[in-house]
Amino acid sequence: MRCPVLALALAIVAAPAHASARPTYALTAWTAEKGLPSGDVFAITEDRAGYLWIATGSGLVRFDGVQFDTRRAGLPGSSVAAIVAARDGSVWAGFNDAPGVVRVRDGQVSHYYGAQDGLGGCVVTSLLEDRHGTVWAGCRRGLASFDGTAWRLSEPDAGWPRDTGVSSLFEDRGGALWVAGSTGVFRRSEGDEAFTLVDRTVTYAQSLTDDADGQIWVSDSHRLAHRLGAVDRITLGPEVRLPSAGWRLLRDEHDAIWIAALGSGLLRLETRGSARRIDRVGYESVISGSPRTLFEDHEHNIWVGMRGGGLLRVSEVAVDTDVALAGVTNDGVRAMTRGPDGAIWVATGHSLNRFAGSARDVFSVPQTLALHFDRRGTLWVATAEAVGPFVDGRLRPWTLPETLRLERTAAITTDDGGRVWLCTLEQGVFISERETLVPATADGVAGRGCSFTMTDSHGRVWTGFQGGGATYFDGRFHRLDVKDGLSAGPVLSITEDTAGDIWIGTDSGVSRWKDGRLVTAHVSADLGRRLSSALIDDDNGQMWLGADGGAALVRFSRRDFAGVNGGGVAVPAYVVFDGSDGLEGPTHWASRPAIERDGTGRLWFATGNGVVVMNPRRPPVVHRPSAPRIELMVADGRELDRSGLVTLPNGSSVSIAYSAVTLSSGSKVRFRYLLQGYQTAWVNAGASRTATFDRLPGGRYRFRVAVATDNTWVENDAPFDFAVRARFFQTVWFYALLAAAALTVAGTYWWIRMRMLRRQFALVLGERARVGREIHDTLLQSLGAVGVELEVVASQLRASDAPLRDELTRVRREISRCIGEARESILRLRSPRLETRDLASALEELADDVATARAIQVDVETRGRAWAAAPETDEQLLRIAQEAIGNAVRHGRAKCVRLTLDYDRERVALRVADDGCGFVPSDERSDGGHWGLTTMRERAQRIGGQLKIMSGLGEGTVVEAVVPRPGGA
């Protein structure tokens, strides 16, 4: 053994029996089974985007916290010896089996290796970027630097001996560059151009770092760690063994120095103050092998690369997992409760453990299943064989019915009357009578498998059931079920918060009972995790909920829960804590409750084989993932270039790979995505990092992806846009052509229909004209001839035949009247006025004819802008006007008639008003036995209009016909 080793050994003293409290760490490991390439891990770095880059014996690996991406294309060697991430986003790597270095930037690989690149065939052993952006490469036979454009080997005139090999590089807090080589340790201070030999006795140092005082520590193949030029008094922890060699040193955020030791494992050296202490950090429970390299990321996780393969993450956590429990078996923690003094009682397979402050008392009580303190402070214990009070350190069992199977006991409580309630999963609820237990017989309770029971501050006994639903007893049982708003599934826990509200947890959600009303949040579906039997509030108004069988805790605010359902919020904002925060895996036993709050406000949580203690005032740090990135897009088996807008053939199948950097919380990560133009709602992808879309139709698409570790979603900064060509029948032009064809067909149909209507109307007019001619040529001619003959006969009578003459004169006048009415009928049949002019002109002509023939005043007024109505509409309105004027003259004896034709955007109205004697319009036959009024109404209805008649005795008459415009305005 060399003298320096002896000196160090003499400086080490035994560790004190009661060491000061050490930090608590959560350990997470990755091996080849999880995708990490085999072979030694030689170096680790972190790039600007937060990815870890790992130098392994099988290639260069990028890690986002969940998935490994091995890069081999374009690399000159397969075994990566050194690696460093530069500030410009590039990553530099050197190789064990190839000269030179490579630079990976934006997916492009550049190789520098020969004399033309300034390296002269250097085989790189270590890499470093200093604070000025200069990249340094330590080689087996030299030292080189890259100034941004070219590499340059250091020469003797810069203080670096020729052909001196480099084993490690380090930049201290003051900006000095330290280099460990084959001839000693060198330093180049900030602002200097040359290196100075500091210690020639330390050769081939494996690693360099500094402490809080700026002192340089060195490790090598002979010693764990020591300060240059000093001998320190170092205390060894009980598990540290010497002699041992050190591979790598790393100063963490607390200024402690971590040591990757070849024979002693992973060590932590406390350097603050005068006390120097080395403690071992055990990792063998999660990974095997020896630590080879160390790295601290931006979230202060310590990453350990293992010799022989493997990656270990060491995360300092704000929970205490080092709680010593007596009597622990594979069942772990079987029951917990809090005493009136704030002490926590924890039942294991063989013992009861009582924790009060720093003290622990242990009682031998095997197979405990449930614990409860009553109002008088008595502890009640239910085991697999007995039930009774725990007094003076021993259980006093009751005499129980032989049919009661205690091994399926879930919980125990007492009511204000002192009765004991025992909850069993198979036989249901039992209630005590005279120090024995009898089954509950109430409807809805009897025989139902009971999963939880507790008594609230008002003395109500709450019971949850294995098949779902709950009851509370206040003298009688009240049932709560899904129809009342309770979350579905087995009831796992019931608790009362400090405000007096009752919380009921099932495997699917959590419900709050307040003022007789249930409000529920379906947390399980949003989490993607099953809930467990842990539910409690802390002193800060936060609720804590167990998940994954005790492997995780969910925290949310009671105040946020007030908005659930009532304010449209489905699930309150929450934070998840799991194994990455120090929780140690699912429980083996269904401890109910699985969480308690001690007298100081700390939370005790049953997890794995023990308990975790957490101070809710100092919870674990929440690490949220970075914005997700789209890594790869493949269409029909072909990788696509995403530098511009991608246009794909119609019916393409597209697969998009995405990721997010989550170095601290990869186990909590969930993704969701949305392809706009194809989907209308986000798709929850869980932990999947690929979205696939089959046979996409033509269109423009935008792919969006978001990531979360709770329910705070972070979306990618640059959504990916692409297009799929449409088939001919999916194009805008095709739809325009279809629209034009449809309009053409509709127009053609309308034109044909109008021709048919006009033809039909012309046939009707022709027929009416024919009938008019027939009346004129037959009836009128005959009546005229009869009238003439009567006049001749009357002129031949003697004066003595005066009565006969008068009668002939009367008949002749009657014939004249019939001739007039026949002529009027002919006029109505032919409507010659509408054949050559519009309705307004026809009405004016009608008014002139009537005024001339009847010697009365007829006025016509047209209002608004006339629009072309159907011929049938004009015809019927003209007939209505003729009928109304005729009635006014013949029956109303009017002296003045006023016609008003009123057009607007939606209708046309015809109004005929006279100053005649009027009538009572209560009888459709009020015109002396004729059907004029009814005919006018029928004409209006025929053209889709309405007729209104307003009249009164001595007040004249108003006839108004209103017809809507076809098709609206």
Side-chain angles (χ1 to χ4, degrees):
M1 183 179 293
R2 296 185 180 182
C3 294
V5 178
L6 178 62
L8 180 61
L10 294 175
I12 294 175
V13 299
H18 300 285
S20 59
R22 292 176 291 164
T24 303
Y25 299 102
L27 306 177
T28 309
W30 291 265
T31 58
E33 289 76 12
K34 294 185 178 180
L36 177 67
S38 60
D40 285 11
V41 175
F42 294 104
I44 306 171
T45 190
E46 181 182 11
D47 69 14
R48 190 171 58 184
Y51 289 94
L52 282 190
W53 290 78
I54 305 168
T56 76
S58 300
L60 184 61
V61 180
R62 194 185 73 171
F63 184 49
D64 62 11
V66 176
Q67 290 185 336
F68 296 94
D69 179 15
T70 303
R71 308 291 177 92
R72 295 188 178 95
L75 302 183
S78 59
S79 179
V80 185
I83 189 171
V84 69
R87 293 177 180 86
D88 63 1
S90 61
V91 174
W92 295 84
F95 300 86
N96 288 310
D97 53 356
V101 293
V102 297
R103 183 185 196 183
V104 182
R105 185 174 185 179
D106 298 329
Q108 303 298 317
V109 178
S110 302
H111 188 196
Y112 303 85
Y113 61 94
Q116 70 276 15
D117 296 318
L119 284 173
C122 162
V123 177
V124 173
T125 58
S126 57
L127 288 165
L128 177 142
E129 183 189 37
D130 66 22
R131 64 188 58 194
H132 302 293
T134 300
V135 177
W136 294 84
C139 307
R140 292 178 183 174
R141 298 185 63 183
L143 176 67
S145 61
F146 184 76
D147 60 6
T149 57
W151 284 93
R152 180 173 60 87
L153 287 170
S154 296
E155 299 294 340
D157 58 359
W160 187 255
R162 191 182 303 277
D163 294 332
T164 297
V166 176
S167 56
S168 61
L169 299 167
F170 175 70
E171 184 181 32
D172 66 19
R173 302 185 189 196
L177 178 64
W178 293 79
V179 184
S182 57
T183 59
V185 177
F186 295 78
R187 180 184 64 201
R188 195 185 78 161
S189 300
E190 174 78 2
D192 289 348
E193 295 295 330
F195 288 91
T196 302
L197 179 62
V198 176
D199 192 331
R200 69 176 62 252
T201 65
V202 179
T203 59
Y204 289 111
Q206 296 297 318
S207 187
L208 302 164
T209 192
D210 57 357
D211 61 18
D213 300 323
Q215 300 296 310
I216 299 298
W217 289 75
V218 182
S219 68
D220 55 33
S221 58
H222 307 293
R223 290 166 290 184
L224 284 176
H226 67 95
R227 280 195 301 160
L228 282 179
V231 176
D232 291 291
R233 184 180 178 84
I234 299 178
T235 301
L236 296 182
E239 298 179 350
V240 180
R241 298 289 183 265
L242 292 181
S244 180
W247 279 103
R248 289 289 184 271
L249 302 178
L250 173 71
R251 185 191 72 246
D252 68 13
E253 63 167 334
H254 304 299
D255 290 317
I257 295 177
W258 291 74
I259 307 169
L262 179 61
S264 295
L266 183 62
L267 308 176
R268 185 177 184 273
L269 168 62
E270 183 59 59
T271 64
R272 288 190 175 185
S274 58
R276 313 289 191 189
R277 176 186 172 89
I278 297 178
D279 287 298
R280 192 174 190 277
V281 179
Y283 59 85
E284 287 79 5
S285 62
V286 297
I287 195 171
S288 60
S290 297
R292 180 70 174 76
T293 190
L294 299 167
F295 180 77
E296 184 178 20
D297 67 23
H298 73 284
E299 293 176 348
H300 305 298
N301 299 300
I302 304 298
W303 294 86
V304 185
M306 309 301 291
R307 186 180 183 187
L311 182 67
L312 175 68
R313 182 184 66 200
V314 183
S315 307
E316 185 174 349
V317 293
V319 299
D320 183 7
T321 60
D322 191 19
V323 179
L325 291 173
V328 177
T329 64
N330 290 336
D331 291 339
V333 173
R334 299 165 68 97
M336 286 200 306
T337 192
R338 170 184 167 174
D341 58 354
I344 297 295
W345 292 70
V346 181
T348 61
H350 296 294
S351 304
L352 272 180
N353 297 262
R354 178 183 179 273
F355 295 89
S358 59
R360 185 191 70 173
D361 298 315
V362 179
F363 306 91
S364 178
V365 182
Q367 301 185 59
T368 300
L369 301 176
L371 299 171
H372 166 71
F373 275 95
D374 64 19
R375 296 288 176 89
R376 294 187 297 272
T378 299
L379 175 63
W380 291 85
V381 180
T383 74
E385 297 179 349
V387 174
F390 187 77
V391 180
D392 297 332
R394 49 188 302 271
L395 175 64
R396 297 182 178 178
W398 281 1
T399 301
L400 302 176
E402 294 182 358
T403 57
L404 177 58
R405 297 192 297 272
L406 289 177
E407 64 273 10
R408 296 290 286 163
T409 297
I412 187 171
T413 190
T414 56
D415 60 23
D416 284 352
R419 294 184 300 174
V420 174
W421 294 59
L422 187 72
C423 174
T424 69
L425 293 171
E426 290 183 355
Q427 295 177 287
V429 178
F430 288 78
I431 305 175
S432 67
E433 290 184 2
R434 300 185 187 92
E435 295 195 3
T436 189
L437 293 168
V438 298
T441 58
D443 290 342
V445 177
R448 295 182 66 189
C450 175
S451 52
F452 198 89
T453 186
M454 61 85 66
T455 304
D456 67 19
S457 59
H458 299 284
R460 294 171 298 213
V461 178
W462 291 80
T463 305
F465 297 98
Q466 185 78 357
T471 64
Y472 66 91
F473 179 81
D474 57 3
R476 65 186 183 93
F477 285 97
H478 304 266
R479 295 185 62 175
L480 299 174
D481 215 326
V482 174
K483 63 179 182 299
D484 303 307
L486 185 69
S487 59
V491 173
L492 303 178
S493 56
I494 307 175
T495 189
E496 182 179 16
D497 66 21
T498 54
D501 299 338
I502 302 298
W503 297 77
I504 304 173
T506 72
D507 65 352
S508 66
V510 60
S511 303
R512 185 189 63 186
W513 192 80
K514 180 181 179 67
D515 300 327
R517 176 174 174 263
L518 279 169
V519 176
T520 294
H522 302 289
V523 181
S524 178
D526 194 79
L527 277 172
R529 301 170 184 254
R530 303 299 291 179
L531 304 183
S532 66
S533 56
L535 180 61
I536 204 169
D537 68 325
D538 62 23
D539 296 333
N540 302 319
Q542 302 288 324
M543 295 298 300
W544 295 80
L545 179 65
D548 287 354
L553 277 174
V554 182
R555 185 191 69 192
F556 59 88
S557 168
R558 290 200 320 241
R559 183 169 54 243
D560 289 346
F561 199 89
V564 173
N565 295 350
V569 180
V571 176
Y574 60 80
V575 177
V576 178
F577 304 100
D578 63 7
S580 63
D581 303 293
L583 305 187
E584 295 184 333
T587 57
H588 301 282
W589 191 267
S591 175
R592 303 184 186 189
I595 192 167
E596 282 288 359
R597 184 179 64 247
D598 66 18
T600 65
R602 296 185 306 165
L603 300 180
W604 293 64
F605 181 55
T607 174
N609 289 325
V611 292
V612 167
V613 182
M614 178 188 301
N615 186 346
R617 298 183 181 88
R618 294 190 298 275
V621 177
V622 176
H623 296 288
R624 290 193 169 90
S626 62
R629 296 176 52 177
I630 296 174
E631 301 288 350
L632 181 68
M633 178 175 176
V634 176
D636 298 326
R638 178 173 57 91
E639 183 177 346
L640 302 178
D641 180 9
R642 294 180 286 113
S643 58
L645 180 65
V646 178
T647 301
L648 305 175
N650 190 275
S652 292
S653 295
V654 175
S655 180
I656 301 175
Y658 46 83
S659 68
V661 180
T662 52
L663 297 182
S664 296
S665 53
S667 58
K668 308 174 189 178
V669 168
R670 294 177 296 128
F671 291 93
R672 66 181 185 181
Y673 59 80
L674 172 65
L675 185 60
Q676 289 180 329
Y678 185 72
Q679 297 167 323
T680 58
W682 288 89
V683 176
N684 290 322
S688 174
R689 298 182 174 222
T690 304
T692 301
F693 308 95
D694 292 327
R695 302 184 63 81
L696 287 173
R700 291 289 295 268
Y701 299 99
R702 167 168 286 190
F703 181 77
R704 298 164 59 190
V705 60
V707 64
T709 54
D710 39 45
N711 57 356
T712 301
W713 291 93
V714 181
E715 190 172 343
N716 58 322
D717 299 327
F720 176 48
D721 295 315
F722 65 97
V724 175
R725 295 189 189 95
R727 301 188 191 277
F728 170 71
F729 55 82
Q730 297 173 324
T731 62
V732 175
W733 292 107
F734 181 77
Y735 289 124
L737 182 61
L738 284 182
L743 289 174
T744 301
V745 171
T748 303
Y749 172 79
W750 179 82
W751 179 76
I752 294 174
R753 178 65 176 164
M754 292 304 297
R755 284 197 62 186
M756 293 176 62
L757 290 175
R758 289 192 182 99
R759 184 175 180 181
Q760 292 173 1
F761 189 67
L763 291 174
V764 172
L765 290 179
E767 182 62 19
R768 292 170 65 169
R770 186 191 66 79
V771 172
R773 288 194 300 271
E774 291 294 331
I775 293 173
H776 181 272
D777 294 341
T778 57
L779 180 61
L780 283 182
Q781 296 298 332
S782 298
L783 288 175
V786 171
V788 172
E789 290 178 2
L790 288 175
E791 188 174 357
V792 171
V793 172
S795 65
Q796 294 175 356
L797 293 176
R798 297 189 297 271
S800 59
D801 298 323
L804 180 57
R805 185 185 297 110
D806 293 340
E807 183 64 21
L808 290 175
T809 301
R810 186 190 65 76
V811 173
R812 184 175 60 80
R813 285 199 299 268
E814 185 66 24
I815 290 174
S816 297
R817 187 183 65 79
C818 289
I819 291 173
E821 289 183 356
R823 290 184 183 277
E824 188 172 348
S825 296
I826 293 172
L827 178 65
R828 292 178 180 178
L829 284 170
R830 297 191 58 138
S831 301
R833 293 183 179 89
L834 290 174
E835 294 179 359
T836 58
R837 62 204 68 188
D838 57 16
L839 178 58
S841 301
L843 290 175
E844 291 177 356
E845 183 178 348
L846 174 63
D848 292 341
D849 292 345
V850 173
T852 301
R854 303 290 186 175
I856 64 173
Q857 179 180 349
V858 182
D859 297 327
V860 179
E861 179 184 4
T862 301
R863 299 174 182 171
R865 183 175 179 181
W867 39 265
E872 177 72 4
T873 300
D874 289 348
E875 173 71 19
Q876 297 303 331
L877 289 176
L878 179 60
R879 295 303 182 203
I880 292 171
Q882 288 175 337
E883 186 69 35
I885 293 174
N887 289 339
V889 173
R890 288 195 302 272
H891 307 296
R893 296 185 295 277
K895 301 299 182 183
C896 180
V897 179
R898 182 174 183 83
L899 279 76
T900 305
L901 187 62
D902 188 359
Y903 288 93
D904 64 20
R905 290 172 55 87
E906 297 180 353
R907 63 177 180 78
V908 58
L910 172 67
R911 181 183 178 92
V912 181
D914 66 62
D915 60 354
C917 62
F919 66 98
V920 179
S922 60
D923 186 1
E924 292 293 323
R925 296 173 58 88
S926 60
D927 57 344
H930 298 286
W931 294 91
L933 300 182
T934 301
T935 300
M936 285 192 291
R937 183 168 283 107
E938 290 175 349
R939 290 183 183 276
Q941 292 174 352
R942 182 174 176 180
I943 55 178
Q946 292 182 342
L947 185 77
K948 185 184 296 183
I949 301 174
M950 298 161 284
S951 183
L953 294 176
E955 297 178 358
T957 301
V958 177
V959 177
E960 185 177 65
V962 179
V963 181
R965 183 175 183 177

